[in-house]
Amino acid sequence: QVQLQESGPGLVKPSQTLSLTCTVSGGSISTDSYYWSWIRQPTGKGLEWIGRIRTNGNTNYSPSLRSRVTISLDTSKNQFSLRLISVTAADTAVYHCVRESFGSSKWSYGLDVWGQGTTVTVSS
Amino acid sequence: QSVLTQPPSASGTPGQRVTISCSGGSSNIGTTYVYWYQHLPGTAPKLLIYRNSERPSGVPDRFSGSKSGTSASLAISGLRSEDEADYYCAAWDASLSGYVFGTGTKVTVL
């Protein structure tokens, strides 16, 4: 059973860089059947999709965050990471790493495995 | 910002049927599949419905999804206390080249 676990600093200063890592256990991150995604939820607000990456290197990012975000894979460690630069208080949120399954299909089977989430607060 | 619109709340008594709507546009719901997620407080969101109306293994058949044009809906029949949660619709948006989530609906079991 695949499990995802987020890790990283819980507090980041304004204007600095937020960096989180997601460790995947129980399965390989190198399978081309999946996209590996990041989703966040600010306190009291709804879910916001940040972006995703596939083993072949394909990435997609939210237009509102594209200029500040990078998602990368480390297949040797079975991990993927999120990097968000120039953070502000508006980036304070619970950040989830998530698997999106495609199988051999063109169409998604959905965001089917979620990490528990990690809270990141942006404050001086 | 959310591109998909949901009612902020819905409620029902145990055993009742509750329906949640999700309104989008031609670049998202109108041309792609809709997904539904259940988010219980303090837990990770859970996939309830994929590809408009399919249920993952383990999701009770009390949950059903449908889509028509640029709108979709989630129905919960035989409402139970454990269904009290936030529910989100989601879809790929071809114009944005990214996923969009609904505004979320809080379901309360009276």
Side-chain angles (χ1 to χ4, degrees), chain B residues 4 63 68 70 72 75 82 88 94-95 99 103-104 108 110:
Chain B
L4 307 181
F63 295 92
S68 178
T70 59
E82 58 259 38
Y88 294 90
S95 296
Y99 269 107
T103 47
T108 301
L110 302 171

Side-chain angles (χ1 to χ4, degrees), chain A residues 47-112:
Chain A
L47 299 171
E48 180 184 12
W49 183 81
I50 298 171
R52 66 182 187 179
I53 188 168
R54 205 164 187 174
T55 303
N56 61 8
N58 284 354
T59 55
N60 301 102
Y61 297 122
S62 166
S64 64
L65 296 170
R66 186 171 291 140
S67 63
R68 300 194 292 128
V69 69
T70 304
I71 297 175
S72 58
L73 280 173
D74 187 337
T75 55
S76 67
K77 294 182 180 179
N78 224 37
Q79 296 176 332
F80 65 105
S81 300
L82 169 69
R83 186 169 176 266
L84 184 65
I85 66 172
S86 305
V87 298
T88 70
D91 296 310
T92 295
V94 175
Y95 286 75
H96 294 274
C97 57
V98 189
R99 186 186 79 174
E100 181 183 7
S101 294
F102 278 80
S104 57
S105 171
K106 167 187 172 182
W107 296 105
S108 173
Y109 287 101
L111 300 160
D112 61 347

Side-chain angles (χ1 to χ4, degrees), chain B residues 92-110:
Chain B
W92 183 261
D93 191 294
S95 296
L96 300 175
S97 290
Y99 269 107
V100 288
F101 279 97
T103 47
T105 298
K106 183 175 182 62
V107 169
T108 301
V109 181
L110 302 171

Side-chain angles (χ1 to χ4, degrees), chain B residues 2-99:
Chain B
S2 296
V3 175
L4 307 181
T5 302
Q6 300 177 234
S9 64
S11 63
T13 57
Q16 277 190 328
R17 176 184 171 93
V18 168
T19 302
I20 301 168
S21 61
C22 174
S23 178
S26 58
S27 63
N28 42 70
I29 294 178
T31 53
T32 65
Y33 287 113
V34 178
Y35 303 81
W36 289 91
Y37 298 90
Q38 177 191 58
H39 193 192
L40 295 161
T43 70
K46 172 187 173 182
L47 176 65
L48 269 187
I49 298 288
Y50 66 95
R51 296 186 183 177
N52 300 336
S53 59
E54 301 295 322
R55 281 186 306 276
S57 173
V59 173
D61 60 6
R62 302 186 295 106
F63 295 92
S64 61
S66 63
K67 182 187 115 168
S68 178
T70 59
S71 294
S73 62
L74 173 73
I76 310 173
S77 60
L79 195 64
R80 296 185 177 185
S81 58
E82 58 259 38
D83 299 332
E84 197 162 273
D86 295 323
Y87 292 83
Y88 294 90
C89 58
W92 183 261
D93 191 294
S95 296
L96 300 175
S97 290
Y99 269 107

